[in-house]
Amino acid sequence: MLSVTVTRTLHSQRFGQDSAIFVAPGRVNLIGEHTDYAEGFVMPAAIDFATLAAICPDDTSVAIYSANFDDQITYPLDSLPGKASHHWSDYPLGVVSVLREAGVEIPGFSLTLNGDVPLGAGLSSSASVEVASMVAILSLTSATFTPPEVAKLCQRAENHFVGASTGIMDQFIACCGAEDHALLLDCRSLEYRLAPIPPHLSIVIANSMVKHSHAGGEYNIRRSEVEEGTKLLRSHRPEIKMLRDATVDDLKRWGHEMRPEVLKRCRHIITENERTVAAADALQAGDLKTLGQLMYAAHASYRDDFEASCPEADILVDLAAKETGCIGARLTGGGFGGCTVNLVENAQAEAFSSHLREGYREATGIAADIYLCHASAGAHQI
Ligand code: GLA
């Protein structure tokens, strides 16, 4: 568990001043993968893994210390780097850069970042660093942004500074998450509704320990395949601005004009949007059977059509499906490794976790980390 006291002490020992402390959570996505940048639907929950940001003002420089990397960067306020350097500091520096672009006058500051969101595990460590940094830095300015605006600015930092073409989901849930709730987000209008997670269910997250990275690589390739398919459909039906506007019927009519893999990517997104809205309805109605079926169907689509799973994640999902008390399981996040999310009856959660750990080790030789998480609140000051 992250310690506020430890973070405060780390900060004051290093920078010699008291700090204000902010927290921003990681997230787990229950369903709706790679739909956000197609302006579709997602249903994540914020989790109790998070980044803490301790901040105090400074006259002339920007100093940022990462407790996780035990590393500090320091720049004069008037010569901050204008581009990424594939370093952990890209995330907070990207935040400063987009705030300046948005016309916010940034004073000097010292910032300590301390997080426990597993890195590269599909639980949005990057968004939690961005959002924690942004709310902390904003507290030293007179600017006022709503939580969805903060999310959009942080997404901008990730897209334009860090260089990962990610959607809005991670930053949005890090800003707007609510305790004990999942959040169904319409990534076009940014309207959302909260769906309570029944108290008899646990969110069990299983880390395959296969790492991924979004800056470059497969994520961006998938995104460009999706854009290629959207363009083709738009050439036939101009109302299709984004894949969110397309239907399975559109694919039946024009899919043969696409490269086969592009057709599959589009089919995943179009059907995933339908599944995500249906899953939110099922969760709200307490229809856990339907919710579970939708999660398994989403995993199959992610694996077969989007081809963003990996053998290890498939093994975790197959093992989970055999366990009593498991409502549904799927690979969560950007794909190509990372974690599965499992909804499990509380009474079975411990047994489920140890069976999963044993079965996974037997099948792969890998020791999975298994976390029991709770849906948590979005970013706030502590
Ligand atoms: C990453 C991105 C999100 C989203 C997911 C896939 O987490 O940051 O914007 O696209 O992958 O659903």
Side-chain angles (χ1 to χ4, degrees):
M1 204 59 191
L2 269 179
S3 161
V4 173
T5 317
V6 168
T7 308
R8 199 187 294 283
T9 309
L10 281 173
H11 185 89
S12 60
Q13 281 171 347
R14 181 165 289 263
F15 298 114
Q17 278 192 62
D18 275 353
S19 54
I21 309 247
F22 297 80
V23 62
R27 64 102 188 90
V28 68
N29 190 18
L30 297 183
I31 192 164
E33 228 59 88
H34 281 254
T35 42
D36 56 356
Y37 56 76
E39 296 189 356
F41 297 89
V42 294
M43 189 166 65
I47 52 177
D48 39 5
F49 286 112
T51 300
L52 291 174
I55 197 159
C56 63
D58 184 278
D59 287 342
T60 54
S61 63
V62 164
I64 308 175
Y65 171 64
S66 162
N68 298 80
F69 291 93
D70 189 21
D71 186 31
Q72 180 178 329
I73 54 144
T74 310
Y75 292 98
L77 187 55
D78 54 9
S79 53
L80 287 170
K83 61 180 175 52
S85 57
H86 303 289
H87 189 249
W88 63 264
S89 58
D90 289 351
Y91 296 95
L93 288 173
V95 159
V96 174
S97 165
V98 295
L99 284 175
R100 279 187 162 168
E101 272 169 30
V104 179
E105 196 164 320
I106 306 287
F109 62 84
S110 302
L111 176 69
T112 295
L113 295 170
N114 188 17
D116 65 357
V117 187
L119 300 186
L123 301 178
S124 278
S125 51
S126 344
S128 88
V129 169
E130 289 154 4
V131 172
S133 304
M134 187 167 288
V135 292
I137 295 167
L138 281 172
S139 73
L140 301 180
T141 75
S142 56
T144 49
F145 292 109
T146 63
E149 285 166 346
V150 170
K152 282 204 265 185
L153 286 164
C154 288
Q155 182 199 10
R156 203 178 157 72
E158 178 122 10
N159 293 169
H160 295 275
F161 196 92
V162 177
S165 314
T166 53
I168 187 71
M169 166 169 69
D170 304 345
Q171 292 80 6
F172 197 93
I173 187 71
C175 290
C176 302
E179 210 168 335
D180 298 326
H181 287 76
L183 182 153
L184 176 73
L185 175 65
D186 177 336
C187 298
R188 170 166 283 167
S189 63
L190 297 190
E191 280 166 11
Y192 64 92
R193 65 178 150 109
L194 295 171
I197 297 179
H200 61 91
L201 286 192
S202 299
I203 302 175
V204 181
I205 296 177
N207 191 342
S208 70
M209 313 307 273
V210 178
K211 287 216 171 191
H212 74 96
S213 152
H214 288 336
E218 296 279 4
Y219 183 96
N220 289 356
I221 295 173
R222 288 295 177 280
R223 188 160 179 170
S224 63
E225 289 167 342
V226 168
E227 272 153 22
E228 184 181 322
T230 311
K231 210 165 145 199
L232 186 277
L233 292 178
R234 193 185 300 131
S235 73
H236 292 290
R237 208 158 68 76
E239 315 83 272
I240 300 177
K241 301 277 178 270
M242 302 301 274
L243 223 41
R244 141 79 173 267
D245 307 308
T247 63
V248 172
D249 279 347
D250 293 324
L251 284 186
K252 284 194 186 131
R253 282 183 75 181
W254 298 301
H256 65 279
E257 295 176 24
M258 296 176 183
R259 294 192 289 134
E261 61 270 34
V262 170
L263 169 60
K264 293 208 286 181
R265 309 305 181 241
C266 293
R267 188 167 56 210
H268 165 74
I269 291 188
I270 293 171
T271 56
E272 184 83 343
N273 274 329
E274 291 171 358
R275 281 188 292 271
T276 303
V277 176
D281 292 342
L283 182 58
Q284 225 144 14
D287 180 358
L288 299 182
K289 189 159 175 255
T290 302
L291 175 65
Q293 284 164 352
L294 290 162
M295 288 175 75
Y296 288 122
H299 182 76
S301 171
Y302 209 31
R303 178 190 63 210
D304 301 335
D305 273 350
F306 213 67
E307 296 180 282
S309 187
C310 61
E312 293 84 353
D314 297 340
I315 289 171
L316 281 172
V317 171
D318 290 346
L319 287 169
K322 292 188 193 123
E323 288 296 318
T324 13
C326 181
I327 307 295
R330 52 176 292 280
L331 173 61
T332 187
F336 312 103
C339 295
T340 60
V341 55
N342 308 268
L343 288 181
V344 186
E345 295 287 349
N346 291 343
Q348 266 93 36
E350 285 297 337
F352 173 87
S353 306
S354 65
H355 293 168
L356 204 59
R357 202 177 283 116
E358 281 161 28
Y360 189 62
R361 192 199 291 272
E362 234 166 68
T364 63
I366 304 172
D369 282 344
I370 311 240
Y371 323 109
L372 252 92
C373 284
H374 293 103
S376 306
H380 57 276
Q381 182 165 11
I382 294 183

